[in-house]
Amino acid sequence: MTNLPTVGFIGLGNMGSGMTRNLQKAGFPLVVTDLRPESAAELIAGGALWAESPAQVAALSDLVITMLPTPRHVEAVLHGADGILAGIRDGGTWIDMSTSVPEPAERVRRDFAERGLRILDAPVSGMSIGAATGMLQIFVGGDAADVARLRPVFEAMGDPERILHVGAAGAGYAVKLMINQLWFSHLVATAEVLAIGVKAGVDLGVLRESLVASPANSNFVQNDVLSILDHGDYDEGFAIALACKDLGLSIDLARSVGVPAELSAVVEQIYRRAKAQYGDLAGEMTPVKLYED
Amino acid sequence: MTNLPTVGFIGLGNMGSGMTRNLQKAGFPLVVTDLRPESAAELIAGGALWAESPAQVAALSDLVITMLPTPRHVEAVLHGADGILAGIRDGGTWIDMSTSVPEPAERVRRDFAERGLRILDAPVSGMSIGAATGMLQIFVGGDAADVARLRPVFEAMGDPERILHVGAAGAGYAVKLMINQLWFSHLVATAEVLAIGVKAGVDLGVLRESLVASPANSNFVQNDVLSILDHGDYDEGFAIALACKDLGLSIDLARSVGVPAELSAVVEQIYRRAKAQYGDLAGEMTPVKLYED
Amino acid sequence: MTNLPTVGFIGLGNMGSGMTRNLQKAGFPLVVTDLRPESAAELIAGGALWAESPAQVAALSDLVITMLPTPRHVEAVLHGADGILAGIRDGGTWIDMSTSVPEPAERVRRDFAERGLRILDAPVSGMSIGAATGMLQIFVGGDAADVARLRPVFEAMGDPERILHVGAAGAGYAVKLMINQLWFSHLVATAEVLAIGVKAGVDLGVLRESLVASPANSNFVQNDVLSILDHGDYDEGFAIALACKDLGLSIDLARSVGVPAELSAVVEQIYRRAKAQYGDLAGEMTPVKLYED
Amino acid sequence: MTNLPTVGFIGLGNMGSGMTRNLQKAGFPLVVTDLRPESAAELIAGGALWAESPAQVAALSDLVITMLPTPRHVEAVLHGADGILAGIRDGGTWIDMSTSVPEPAERVRRDFAERGLRILDAPVSGMSIGAATGMLQIFVGGDAADVARLRPVFEAMGDPERILHVGAAGAGYAVKLMINQLWFSHLVATAEVLAIGVKAGVDLGVLRESLVASPANSNFVQNDVLSILDHGDYDEGFAIALACKDLGLSIDLARSVGVPAELSAVVEQIYRRAKAQYGDLAGEMTPVKLYED
């Protein structure tokens, strides 16, 4: 017999499938749904319950987790006759682990204030390998008491030492988006200086090592760029279309909090230029190609 | 008795004064000049010879080093009746250690090809403290044989392990400019994400630590930004007007080698916006203020 | 006796109040609603019917017009128990005259395809004065037959010679956003060259006249900028917060159709910098101030 | 017999050849030189004197005009044993009609103050056709008395009604550069909105006409863009490499007067991207191609 809470989980894609497998392994009873029912087969074989709608997931669970591609998908599973809000009990808990922006949750909090829902945002980093191995980094925004109460759930999916309570509601989204934005900015900034230096006659390896040895060192130039330089690998595991999506969310967040961000906006457009030129499925490091040849 | 070569040195500013002291300490006979004769007092007391012009420096030395603020200053001491070219012997050596662009040296190499001059570029990093302690990092562009022959001269001024031969003529300039450009780009990129995250409700310290723990880590966010966060210190030791000068040279280099560089160009303009708003003498990290308010 | 169709109208703000008055004057029976019931007083005195919800507007009208501030407002009046879609008859007509993006209408068209709704987008230019005088310019996207059928409705609100059928569904939105984007881009581009020229010693009036006489002439430099130069008027009638909203929609449209747009993105951020510095209510021409000081 | 002053003219390229022909036709005795002696054949046949160097031109003339590709060329003909300064009499007149920046003339004015030279900048617009027909527009910077005295010289080359005294020394350069900058900015801004609108489903012709009829109208969208739309002509008569050169000078001017110019800087980089992609000889309107396909 388990007395762990029943976890509802909506979104069984690359990330969600690993995360649910780890929740199941940790003993959490699961209720799941997805647009593609076949994605739940293994979980159901392991004892998970299939639900026909987000509303049903919410009605049958102690807490609901969403792990979806975009804010629009999040909105779509919240509202309407089949939505989470139609099924969740008053005072119930919803954790959004999607890479998203604060607005959808803010609207729920405002428009349904009287229902006393507990809402947390908890985006992750670590890619599908982190999801599969239960070693995700998790950035949680919300009330401290909720975070403490839900810690065992997060620990089933992430590295216990890297589950960070980063602030009030919305802070988790912000941290995740800013990490991505800064990495993308580093990529473009580095691509430019490498291209200029090489065209000016410096050997690429020597230039990279000089940067690594300098105050301009970064994880990108020290480690990540080697994937391109050593293997010609632009990381097709993370498509540039997804990177553009994240960059769009990051600029949307800057808009909504009123911070002008010229450099970040230019980074988004350079990513979009690379996406237009090399296709949606090109790897997230493809903008470097705009500076090669 | 010394049989070390006599070193001519033009430019006894913040950097040059430390570098010449270390050359003198290492036993190199010196011939020096500067627009401000008083800057040479200590060197002369130590045995250095004062020259009335760059031409005279060149005539009395085995090799000439220039350490000047801008390419224009470099051009000014090269040409004319009083210039280095009027004094240097055929086959003589000129090392430009200024943060500059390749054009002035290229023109000398082209227009005076028949004179067989040995020309190297060897910009440094490490600031005035590195100059004073003889621990500069030195990026040398030029022929390998020249670099080997002149290594003892460089070792008198820099850290022997960080004296790098980075390529043919011009490569040293390029490495130095690209290090600076990338650091300035990191500064603006980081300022934007910190401002957005904080306005979105994340604690500044938590946000910084999340970035440090992420793939978006850089020396800037891990170390340099603490000067602002912990001490409110925007590094007035390196004025923003100098940073703008370096950014201009970096864009000039991109122009001359034909690499489009949207992000770097925007970084230059953001620096110029900060310079216009906070004054020429504000510290090189002042652009961060544009995102504080 | 009129046999004109009954027009439902949602959104009685600065623009909508003038437009409905002109529809009423032209004899169209009206059913209206708005978040602020008092905004309908005059129309009701003139014979218009008040409806309690968008659904009721749609149920009581032959066609429904929306004139709302943002795509989110448009979405809000479409969906839910009180929304247009809950009241409109199958085969009914909805015209969105808001400055918006195509997505909300596209989703209706896709998700409710079987209902056979006739949907047009028809944003306007001409500001509140054009709305009040019935002289708006109207950019209509949709099927030609619908546009022809609805022409009398448009002519009640706009200048007959400037009611343009610009393409299929969505084209009206795009034309309106691109007009605004280009005007904002002209403003920033002009502000920069005027500031540079004046700082370089050219008299402002002479510089403006030289530009007007040159291939770089534009309506902005020839006419609109005079509002600032002659009267210090930055057009507070159109707040910079609205301009930022429009610029955001324009970048959103660029994203959704996959066109990289570096310059437009920078224009948006410069507008956002001016909004952050001078406040939401500053006039739409306030970014010029960033280049004055 | 003529009592017109003898005009020295250095630079007989596309522009200079037309300008000198018109000076000769107006009766001015000419002394000319150029790197390509053959370019002077026709002028010599018409009575002009050939000089072996800029110094000789200056020594034999009452006033010297330079019409050269870049500031560096201007510097090159000023200084050295063969330069203008070596030949010009004290109190003599030099008019630089090149598209350039103020610095070279400023240095002469400062370093040779005691010689009392009269120096004017007088860049032109109107392209080689304007030079050939004597209908150039001329923007003159300098002292009013000098401008008045030299008016007949300018009228031999330009349209009398479009010879404008735009301010003190340097103002002519600034006006010319700002006209070019604004036109290039209009080109990129327009290319972006046309591309977005067309991808969003608007007919290109309808979109252009809507823009022309709107407050966002400009000479570029009304007239110049037709060269591309109607004839596929990107104006190869003015190579993109020259446009990039002018954009660089314009950013240099912004730097030297301390005006941040984010948009203009991005325009320069987009031009450089087009130059890198389509080659130095592509037409000045080629950046539009970056937004096509």
Side-chain angles (χ1 to χ4, degrees):
Chain A
M1 292 300 308
T2 176
N3 57 2
L4 291 177
T6 298
V7 176
F9 204 106
I10 301 168
L12 303 172
N14 273 346
M15 297 298 293
S17 59
M19 293 158 80
T20 44
R21 247 177 288 130
N22 282 310
L23 284 166
Q24 195 167 62
K25 209 183 322 172
F28 290 94
L30 292 180
V31 185
V32 303
T33 196
D34 191 273
L35 290 179
R36 299 166 305 115
E38 65 276 19
S39 61
E42 196 184 336
L43 292 168
I44 292 170
L49 205 61
W50 174 260
E52 291 299 329
S53 69
Q56 204 182 349
V57 169
L60 298 174
S61 308
D62 294 304
L63 63 103
V64 185
I65 294 174
T66 44
M67 189 65 189
L68 298 163
T70 72
R72 180 155 302 285
H73 292 86
V74 173
E75 297 241 319
V77 302
L78 280 171
H79 300 285
D82 283 343
I84 290 173
L85 291 167
I88 199 168
R89 76 190 64 141
D90 285 2
T93 295
W94 166 44
I95 308 170
D96 185 22
M97 301 188 77
S98 316
T99 297
S100 181
V101 287
E103 278 80 3
E106 275 172 12
R107 269 192 295 278
V108 171
R109 213 173 277 113
R110 188 189 60 215
D111 295 347
F112 300 86
E114 74 291 353
R115 296 193 55 189
L117 300 174
R118 313 304 309 163
I119 304 179
L120 297 89
D121 48 297
V124 306
S125 78
M127 323 221 23
S128 57
I129 177 76
T133 58
M135 291 303 281
L136 291 170
Q137 182 166 19
I138 308 181
F139 308 102
V140 192
D143 287 349
D146 289 328
V147 179
R149 172 172 62 91
L150 295 161
R151 195 161 183 94
V153 179
F154 293 129
E155 291 195 350
M157 298 179 281
D159 175 353
E161 309 215 337
R162 298 167 79 216
I163 296 166
L164 299 177
H165 180 206
V166 295
Y173 293 129
V175 168
K176 174 69 201 298
L177 290 177
M178 292 307 96
I179 286 172
N180 286 11
Q181 173 69 58
L182 188 56
W183 191 85
F184 296 136
S185 295
H186 284 175
L187 179 142
V188 176
T190 306
E192 290 191 356
V193 301
L194 290 179
I196 298 167
V198 166
K199 279 274 177 67
V202 189
D203 174 79
L204 179 54
V206 170
L207 178 54
R208 194 192 70 85
E209 280 161 32
S210 300
L211 292 168
V212 168
S214 86
N217 190 26
S218 71
N219 175 61
F220 182 81
V221 75
Q222 183 163 16
N223 300 307
D224 296 342
V225 79
L226 293 174
S227 152
I228 298 177
L229 303 187
D230 293 350
H231 311 293
D233 173 4
Y234 293 84
D235 192 13
E236 296 187 10
F238 191 83
I240 195 169
L242 283 176
C244 286
K245 190 264 295 178
D246 284 359
L247 281 160
L249 295 180
S250 156
I251 298 299
D252 286 348
L253 182 63
R255 282 175 184 164
S256 80
V257 299
V259 173
E262 289 91 348
L263 182 145
S264 302
V266 166
V267 169
E268 183 193 354
Q269 299 306 320
I270 292 170
Y271 261 78
R272 292 188 179 280
R273 181 166 295 284
K275 174 170 168 282
Q277 195 152 335
Y278 302 108
D280 286 10
L281 300 180
E284 63 171 333
M285 294 169 79
T286 304
V288 172
K289 284 193 185 171
L290 289 173
Y291 299 92
E292 293 172 348
D293 89 14
Chain B
M1 292 300 310
T2 176
N3 57 4
L4 292 176
T6 297
V7 176
F9 204 104
I10 301 168
L12 303 173
N14 273 347
M15 298 298 293
S17 60
M19 293 159 78
T20 42
R21 245 175 291 129
N22 283 309
L23 285 165
Q24 194 168 62
K25 208 180 331 172
F28 289 95
L30 292 181
V31 184
V32 303
T33 196
D34 189 273
L35 290 179
R36 297 167 307 116
E38 65 274 20
S39 61
E42 197 185 334
L43 293 166
I44 293 169
L49 206 60
W50 174 259
E52 291 300 328
S53 68
Q56 203 181 350
V57 170
L60 299 173
S61 309
D62 294 304
L63 62 104
V64 184
I65 294 174
T66 44
M67 188 66 189
L68 297 162
T70 72
R72 182 154 300 286
H73 292 85
V74 173
E75 298 241 318
V77 302
L78 281 171
H79 301 284
D82 283 343
I84 291 172
L85 292 166
I88 198 167
R89 77 192 62 144
D90 284 2
T93 296
W94 166 46
I95 309 170
D96 185 21
M97 302 188 77
S98 316
T99 298
S100 181
V101 288
E103 277 80 1
E106 276 172 12
R107 268 191 297 279
V108 171
R109 213 174 276 113
R110 186 190 61 216
D111 295 347
F112 300 86
E114 75 290 354
R115 296 193 54 189
L117 300 175
R118 313 306 307 163
I119 304 178
L120 296 89
D121 47 298
V124 305
S125 77
M127 323 225 19
S128 56
I129 177 76
T133 57
M135 290 303 281
L136 291 170
Q137 183 165 19
I138 307 181
F139 309 102
V140 192
D143 286 349
D146 289 327
V147 179
R149 170 173 63 90
L150 295 161
R151 195 161 184 95
V153 178
F154 294 129
E155 291 193 350
M157 297 179 281
D159 175 354
E161 308 216 337
R162 301 167 77 214
I163 296 166
L164 299 177
H165 180 206
V166 296
Y173 293 128
V175 168
K176 174 68 200 300
L177 291 178
M178 292 305 98
I179 286 173
N180 286 10
Q181 173 69 59
L182 188 56
W183 191 86
F184 296 135
S185 296
H186 283 177
L187 179 142
V188 176
T190 305
E192 290 192 354
V193 302
L194 291 179
I196 298 167
V198 166
K199 277 277 177 67
V202 189
D203 175 80
L204 178 53
V206 170
L207 179 54
R208 193 192 71 85
E209 280 161 32
S210 300
L211 293 167
V212 168
S214 86
N217 190 26
S218 70
N219 175 62
F220 182 80
V221 74
Q222 182 164 14
N223 300 308
D224 296 342
V225 80
L226 293 175
S227 152
I228 298 176
L229 303 187
D230 294 350
H231 312 293
D233 173 4
Y234 293 83
D235 192 12
E236 295 186 10
F238 191 81
I240 195 168
L242 284 175
C244 286
K245 189 263 297 179
D246 284 359
L247 282 160
L249 295 179
S250 155
I251 297 300
D252 286 349
L253 182 63
R255 282 175 185 164
S256 80
V257 299
V259 173
E262 291 90 348
L263 183 144
S264 302
V266 166
V267 168
E268 182 193 357
Q269 299 306 320
I270 292 171
Y271 261 78
R272 291 186 180 280
R273 182 167 294 285
K275 173 169 168 286
Q277 195 152 333
Y278 302 108
D280 286 10
L281 299 179
E284 65 173 329
M285 296 170 78
T286 304
V288 172
K289 284 193 185 175
L290 289 172
Y291 299 91
E292 293 172 350
D293 88 13
Chain C
M1 291 302 310
T2 176
N3 56 4
L4 292 176
T6 296
V7 176
F9 204 105
I10 300 168
L12 303 173
N14 273 348
M15 299 298 293
S17 60
M19 294 158 79
T20 44
R21 245 176 288 129
N22 282 309
L23 285 164
Q24 196 168 61
K25 211 182 325 174
F28 290 95
L30 291 180
V31 184
V32 302
T33 196
D34 191 273
L35 290 180
R36 297 167 307 115
E38 66 274 20
S39 61
E42 197 185 333
L43 293 167
I44 292 171
L49 205 60
W50 174 260
E52 291 299 331
S53 69
Q56 205 181 347
V57 169
L60 298 174
S61 308
D62 294 304
L63 62 103
V64 184
I65 293 174
T66 44
M67 188 66 188
L68 297 162
T70 72
R72 181 155 300 284
H73 292 86
V74 173
E75 298 241 319
V77 303
L78 280 171
H79 301 285
D82 283 343
I84 291 172
L85 291 166
I88 198 168
R89 76 191 61 142
D90 285 3
T93 295
W94 165 46
I95 309 170
D96 185 22
M97 302 187 77
S98 316
T99 297
S100 182
V101 288
E103 279 79 2
E106 276 172 12
R107 268 193 295 279
V108 171
R109 213 173 275 113
R110 186 190 60 215
D111 296 347
F112 301 85
E114 75 290 355
R115 296 192 55 189
L117 300 175
R118 313 306 308 164
I119 304 179
L120 296 90
D121 48 296
V124 305
S125 77
M127 322 224 21
S128 55
I129 178 76
T133 57
M135 291 302 281
L136 292 169
Q137 181 164 20
I138 308 181
F139 308 102
V140 193
D143 287 350
D146 289 327
V147 179
R149 170 173 63 91
L150 295 161
R151 195 160 184 95
V153 178
F154 293 129
E155 291 194 350
M157 297 179 283
D159 175 354
E161 309 215 337
R162 300 169 76 215
I163 296 167
L164 299 177
H165 180 206
V166 294
Y173 293 128
V175 168
K176 176 66 202 298
L177 291 178
M178 292 306 97
I179 287 173
N180 287 10
Q181 173 69 59
L182 188 56
W183 191 86
F184 296 135
S185 295
H186 284 175
L187 179 143
V188 176
T190 306
E192 291 191 355
V193 301
L194 291 180
I196 298 167
V198 166
K199 278 274 178 66
V202 188
D203 174 80
L204 179 52
V206 170
L207 178 54
R208 194 192 70 85
E209 279 161 33
S210 300
L211 293 167
V212 168
S214 85
N217 190 26
S218 71
N219 175 62
F220 182 81
V221 74
Q222 183 163 16
N223 299 307
D224 295 341
V225 79
L226 293 175
S227 153
I228 298 177
L229 304 186
D230 294 349
H231 311 293
D233 173 4
Y234 293 84
D235 193 12
E236 296 185 11
F238 192 81
I240 194 168
L242 284 175
C244 286
K245 190 263 296 178
D246 284 359
L247 281 160
L249 295 179
S250 155
I251 298 300
D252 286 348
L253 182 63
R255 282 176 185 164
S256 79
V257 299
V259 173
E262 290 89 348
L263 183 145
S264 301
V266 166
V267 168
E268 182 193 355
Q269 299 305 321
I270 292 171
Y271 261 78
R272 293 188 179 279
R273 183 167 292 284
K275 174 169 167 285
Q277 194 152 334
Y278 302 107
D280 286 10
L281 299 179
E284 65 172 330
M285 296 168 79
T286 304
V288 172
K289 284 192 184 173
L290 290 172
Y291 299 92
E292 294 172 349
D293 88 13
Chain D
M1 292 298 310
T2 175
N3 56 3
L4 291 176
T6 297
V7 175
F9 203 106
I10 301 167
L12 303 173
N14 273 347
M15 299 297 295
S17 60
M19 293 157 79
T20 44
R21 247 177 287 129
N22 283 308
L23 284 164
Q24 195 167 62
K25 209 182 327 172
F28 290 94
L30 291 180
V31 184
V32 302
T33 195
D34 190 272
L35 290 180
R36 298 166 307 116
E38 66 274 20
S39 61
E42 196 184 335
L43 292 167
I44 292 170
L49 206 61
W50 173 258
E52 291 300 329
S53 69
Q56 203 181 353
V57 169
L60 299 173
S61 308
D62 294 303
L63 62 105
V64 184
I65 293 174
T66 45
M67 188 65 188
L68 297 162
T70 72
R72 181 154 302 284
H73 292 85
V74 173
E75 297 241 320
V77 302
L78 280 172
H79 301 285
D82 283 344
I84 290 172
L85 291 166
I88 197 168
R89 77 190 63 143
D90 286 2
T93 295
W94 166 45
I95 308 171
D96 185 21
M97 302 187 76
S98 316
T99 297
S100 182
V101 288
E103 277 80 2
E106 275 171 13
R107 267 192 297 279
V108 171
R109 213 174 276 113
R110 188 189 59 214
D111 296 347
F112 301 85
E114 75 290 353
R115 297 192 54 190
L117 300 174
R118 312 305 308 162
I119 304 179
L120 296 89
D121 47 298
V124 306
S125 78
M127 324 227 16
S128 56
I129 176 78
T133 58
M135 291 302 281
L136 292 169
Q137 182 166 19
I138 308 181
F139 307 102
V140 193
D143 286 348
D146 289 328
V147 179
R149 169 173 64 90
L150 296 162
R151 193 158 185 97
V153 179
F154 293 129
E155 291 193 352
M157 298 179 281
D159 175 352
E161 308 215 337
R162 298 169 78 215
I163 296 166
L164 298 177
H165 179 207
V166 294
Y173 293 129
V175 168
K176 173 69 200 299
L177 291 177
M178 291 306 98
I179 287 173
N180 286 11
Q181 174 68 59
L182 188 56
W183 191 85
F184 296 135
S185 295
H186 283 176
L187 178 142
V188 176
T190 305
E192 290 192 357
V193 302
L194 290 180
I196 298 167
V198 166
K199 279 274 176 68
V202 189
D203 175 79
L204 179 54
V206 169
L207 178 55
R208 194 192 71 84
E209 281 161 32
S210 300
L211 293 167
V212 168
S214 85
N217 190 27
S218 70
N219 175 61
F220 182 81
V221 74
Q222 183 163 16
N223 299 309
D224 296 341
V225 81
L226 293 175
S227 150
I228 298 176
L229 302 187
D230 293 350
H231 312 292
D233 173 5
Y234 293 83
D235 192 13
E236 295 186 10
F238 191 82
I240 194 168
L242 283 176
C244 286
K245 190 264 296 178
D246 284 358
L247 281 160
L249 295 180
S250 156
I251 298 299
D252 286 349
L253 182 63
R255 282 176 184 164
S256 79
V257 298
V259 173
E262 290 90 347
L263 184 145
S264 301
V266 166
V267 168
E268 182 192 355
Q269 299 306 320
I270 292 171
Y271 261 78
R272 291 188 180 278
R273 183 166 293 285
K275 172 169 169 285
Q277 194 153 334
Y278 303 107
D280 285 11
L281 299 179
E284 62 172 332
M285 295 169 79
T286 304
V288 172
K289 284 193 185 172
L290 290 173
Y291 299 91
E292 292 171 350
D293 86 17

